[in-house]
Amino acid sequence: MKQIVIISGKGGTGKTVITGAFAALAENKVMADCDVDAADLHLLLKPDIKERNEFRSGKTAVIDAEKCVKCGKCVKLCRFNAIAENFVVDPVSCEGCAFCSFACPAGAIRMEENISGEWFISETRFGPMVHARLGIAEENSGKLVSLVRQQAKELAEKNNSDWVIVDGAPGIGCPVIASISGVDCAIVVTEPTLSGLHDADRVIKAAKYFGVTVKLIVNKYDLNTDMTGKIEEYCKSGGIGLVGKIPFDESVVKAMVKGKTIIEHSENSPAGKEIAAAWNFMRKKLEEKI
Amino acid sequence: MIISVASGKGGTGKTTVAVNLALSINDNVQFLDCDAEEPNAHIFLKPEIKKTAKVFIPVPKIDEAKCAYCGRCREVCVYNAIAVIPPSAGRKGKTLFFPNLCHGCGSCSYFCPEGAIKEVNREIGEIETGYAGSIEFAHGRLNIGEAMAPPVIREIKKHIKTECTVIIDAPPGTSCPVVETLKRSDYCVLVTEPTPFGLNDLMLAVEVLRKLKIPFGVVINRADLGDEKTDLYCDKENIPILMRIPFKKEIAMAYSKGEPIVMAFPEYKKEFIKLYEDIAGQVQ
Ligand code: SF4
Ligand code: SF4
């Protein structure tokens, strides 16, 4: 079983469109949406939720006003400025470190567990999918991503699947680290813009830092062929395989509006063909390694 | 006035709107790029960086000569950043510290009964400040491999000058970094695209803003690609649509080269001025 993650440094480069297309193309697979902050893959795959689980993580301090002797120790010790002068905790600022609860001489502070999200196992027209939803303004997305990855992997092992296809998290911080660790290959989707190259470079460095093989796809490459050329050079000099150049194609937006993958909507559109070619190339490469 | 520009997700044109808004307002503008994971605004504003400052978080340094392996530090660290292996049958004990897990809360050093822990600085990123023309500029950058952006964001926000019009480019998403960025904003501009993905992300962003009780409005980018569901949603939820930016290949080209719209097409300037005036009117 091989795990592939599609990442992008930044959102909006077409990462989910490509993940959706790969989901339609790959056989015998499990999908995982690790973009738990702003998941989109469900819009294309329309999962039918079979199993719903709470995600508990992190704690928030709560001060019992009756026990509190107003000594001010917690206010002074909290480095996240989460406790106001009136001894009320701001749950958004609280990092859950529990320092205050250990230090409170009156034993007035308890730590309450947060229900910070939900995760699901679903069935889609392409096979099973594991996905999640982080509660609004909750932290610990890295942990939720790890959980989704773990569940997807277990499911794939149980089903004897050949592939786990992961829609990765954006950025280079904790969620993306959790979405790329231990995968067989990370595919970075970028657009031919100055910022696109800049973001790709940062996420590629992060992936390399964690020892993951990286390949690159340029989306909407024809919007700036000069920049695409620069990205090609960047790949060559960095030894990064460029596995696809996808043209700007309005049928991608049309497919999205219909809630379909580009493969189902118009496999023979310029973008559809190119994505299919990229998948076949990737598939062979990864199968050779077995 | 502090105006943040956010979006449920990256790639919707958030930086474009933030940059062009800043360039269109005449004086006393400060621009802060709080997307510490992928700062991009400098590509468009091309600021001259005058100062670079490292961002540190305090982490424990354990003096093994003083440590009694009592395990108190491990007990108080809820992030499992410390492991204590007590000595046994002739083997020396050991305390292990995992810097990537440490939030720098200070609990362990405070509670160590042997005074064996002192705090040292660990670098997690840097802040650069300077000027882009008359615009005061600051952004931060999280070091590769680091997980925690909020300390970097807090550091950028320390530069806020309330006497200026402050434009903040927020990170994408709906979790800790965004919340850290948006706190204390007077207004938030949400940038979206009229597609099902865009709408989904917009709805999440709206939830964040309602939770934080910050007034907001929407800018629809690539307004002519996609469907009318975003308009219907805003209408139903009473969310003002502040501006529409059409999809134009020339705009996409200018963007890809790092050219702000109002530089490439000055006729857009009055629209961004109007956007600013609308916001100012709503904050009043
Ligand atoms: S609390 Fe202090 S003495 Fe106890 S194990 Fe930790 S460092 Fe050692
Ligand atoms: S400072 Fe806080 S998070 Fe860091 S090791 Fe000590 S107790 Fe753990």
Side-chain angles (χ1 to χ4, degrees):
Chain A
M1 185 250 299
K2 299 274 173 194
Q3 300 191 59
I4 308 184
V5 64
I6 294 94
I7 49 177
S8 67
K10 200 153 223 163
T13 56
K15 168 175 73 69
T16 301
V17 165
I18 289 172
T19 311
F22 282 6
L25 289 161
E27 276 164 32
N28 192 21
K29 74 272 158 175
V30 170
M31 274 80 64
D33 190 350
C34 284
D35 192 350
V36 298
D37 241 28
D40 277 339
L41 192 59
H42 65 278
L43 298 170
L44 292 182
L45 302 189
K46 308 223 163 53
D48 183 7
I49 294 174
K50 297 286 177 211
E51 208 188 298
R52 189 182 278 270
N53 305 277
E54 264 174 13
F55 171 62
R56 288 171 183 270
S57 162
K59 292 186 174 173
T60 303
V62 179
I63 301 180
D64 182 341
E66 269 171 31
K67 288 192 192 154
C68 170
V69 295
K70 305 201 170 17
C71 67
K73 195 164 195 176
C74 55
V75 180
K76 217 173 82 219
L77 291 178
C78 178
R79 294 195 174 162
F80 310 107
N81 296 324
I83 306 180
E85 291 302 329
N86 59 354
F87 304 103
V88 173
V89 179
D90 166 18
V92 177
S93 297
C94 177
E95 295 243 343
C97 69
F99 191 177
C100 56
S101 76
F102 291 123
C104 172
I109 309 183
R110 64 175 189 281
M111 299 304 295
E112 277 186 1
E113 199 169 49
N114 305 328
I115 296 178
S116 36
E118 278 186 298
W119 62 273
F120 320 95
I121 296 182
S122 297
E123 207 39 67
T124 75
R125 59 191 186 283
F126 302 121
M129 164 169 171
V130 183
H131 51 128
R133 197 188 146 157
L134 191 69
I136 290 302
E138 290 293 347
E139 49 180 329
N140 271 317
S141 45
K143 271 195 196 155
L144 184 52
V145 167
S146 302
L147 187 86
V148 168
R149 285 275 318 278
Q150 186 55 34
Q151 292 294 332
K153 190 167 165 240
E154 279 173 22
L155 198 62
E157 275 161 2
K158 203 174 84 196
N159 294 358
N160 263 323
S161 307
D162 297 326
W163 304 98
V164 179
I165 296 180
V166 183
D167 193 357
I172 60 154
C174 48
V176 76
I177 293 170
S179 55
I180 60 180
S181 58
V183 299
D184 296 281
C185 182
I187 302 174
V188 176
V189 181
T190 188
E191 286 183 6
T193 64
L194 262 181
S195 53
L197 180 54
H198 180 254
D199 297 338
D201 178 51
R202 272 175 73 75
V203 79
I204 286 168
K205 285 195 178 123
K208 286 194 166 165
Y209 182 91
F210 291 97
V212 173
T213 307
V214 189
K215 309 243 179 252
L216 196 127
I217 287 181
V218 187
N219 195 14
K220 305 184 189 161
Y221 83 90
D222 46 350
L223 282 185
N224 187 338
T225 44
D226 286 353
M227 196 51 73
T228 299
K230 285 209 181 108
I231 295 173
E232 285 174 301
E233 271 165 40
Y234 167 89
C235 286
K236 238 186 235 152
S237 64
I240 292 153
L242 182 69
V243 293
K245 287 198 299 184
I246 299 159
F248 175 79
D249 184 347
E250 281 204 27
S251 47
V252 171
V253 180
K254 287 186 187 132
M256 194 197 289
V257 168
K258 293 211 172 97
K260 287 201 167 131
T261 65
I262 182 77
I263 302 302
E264 297 163 284
H265 180 265
S266 39
E267 193 172 359
N268 289 318
S269 61
K273 271 197 215 148
E274 201 41 60
I275 297 176
W279 164 253
N280 285 325
F281 180 81
M282 286 289 313
R283 180 175 56 87
K284 284 203 194 95
K285 277 268 169 220
L286 283 162
E287 278 170 354
E288 274 168 20
K289 279 205 211 156
I290 300 173
Chain B
M1 180 166 56
I2 304 175
I3 305 170
S4 296
V5 183
S7 64
K9 196 167 258 178
T12 53
K14 180 174 56 63
T15 301
T16 303
V17 170
V19 162
N20 285 290
L21 186 58
L23 288 170
S24 304
I25 308 170
N26 270 328
D27 48 11
N28 246 334
V29 180
Q30 196 186 18
F31 191 100
L32 306 179
D33 187 349
C34 284
D35 188 356
E37 289 187 39
E38 310 282 356
N40 275 156
H42 66 280
I43 293 173
F44 300 93
L45 289 172
K46 306 178 180 69
E48 198 188 317
I49 299 299
K50 298 270 190 206
K51 255 191 16 217
T52 304
K54 307 268 183 229
V55 180
F56 300 100
I57 63 167
V59 298
K61 187 165 166 33
I62 301 170
D63 181 348
E64 295 245 3
K66 288 189 187 163
C67 172
Y69 307 106
C70 69
R72 182 71 177 140
C73 53
R74 182 191 52 79
E75 256 166 50
V76 300
C77 181
V78 301
Y79 306 111
N80 304 315
I82 301 182
V84 180
I85 305 160
S88 71
R91 228 179 339 114
K92 271 178 63 187
K94 184 127 199 71
T95 44
L96 300 169
F97 171 60
F98 307 102
N100 279 313
L101 299 176
C102 174
H103 286 223
C105 69
S107 199
C108 53
S109 57
Y110 180 85
F111 285 110
C112 172
E114 307 296 328
I117 307 184
K118 66 171 198 212
E119 293 193 288
V120 292
N121 280 332
R122 188 169 83 85
E123 188 197 321
I124 59 161
E126 63 181 20
I127 309 280
E128 292 181 320
T129 48
Y131 284 90
S134 65
I135 301 174
E136 261 198 76
F137 179 89
H139 68 177
R141 195 175 281 130
L142 192 66
N143 288 348
I144 302 284
E146 289 298 336
M148 271 170 290
V152 178
I153 295 169
R154 279 195 283 271
E155 215 41 58
I156 307 171
K157 287 181 74 181
K158 283 192 187 149
H159 290 85
I160 287 182
K161 286 197 183 144
T162 39
E163 67 274 19
C164 297
T165 300
V166 187
I167 309 284
I168 298 183
D169 193 358
T174 57
S175 64
C176 17
V178 188
V179 172
E180 193 61 53
T181 301
L182 297 181
K183 266 193 239 163
R184 292 193 11 239
S185 293
D186 296 301
Y187 195 87
C188 180
V189 177
L190 289 177
V191 184
T192 189
E193 274 181 353
T195 63
F197 284 17
L199 179 56
N200 180 59
D201 305 338
L202 173 65
M203 282 153 70
L204 295 172
V206 165
E207 268 188 71
V208 176
L209 288 161
R210 290 198 168 140
K211 188 158 176 175
L212 294 174
K213 302 195 174 64
I214 296 169
F216 61 95
V218 166
V219 168
I220 303 183
N221 193 17
R222 298 175 202 124
D224 39 359
L225 290 181
D227 56 12
E228 70 295 340
K229 292 212 177 83
T230 304
D231 273 89
L232 295 174
Y233 166 77
C234 290
D235 202 38
K236 193 175 112 243
E237 296 283 322
N238 272 318
I239 300 165
I241 295 177
L242 304 165
M243 184 179 181
R244 291 172 206 271
I245 305 171
F247 175 79
K248 282 218 179 84
K249 231 174 171 162
E250 309 87 79
I251 295 184
M253 278 296 286
Y255 176 87
S256 72
K257 286 186 280 192
E259 253 178 81
I261 306 178
V262 296
M263 299 288 214
F265 310 99
E267 63 271 25
Y268 278 94
K269 200 160 181 168
K270 56 178 190 302
E271 299 205 29
F272 281 100
I273 294 171
K274 191 176 162 295
L275 172 64
Y276 172 69
E277 284 167 352
D278 270 5
I279 295 167
Q282 286 188 49
V283 170
Q284 237 84 112

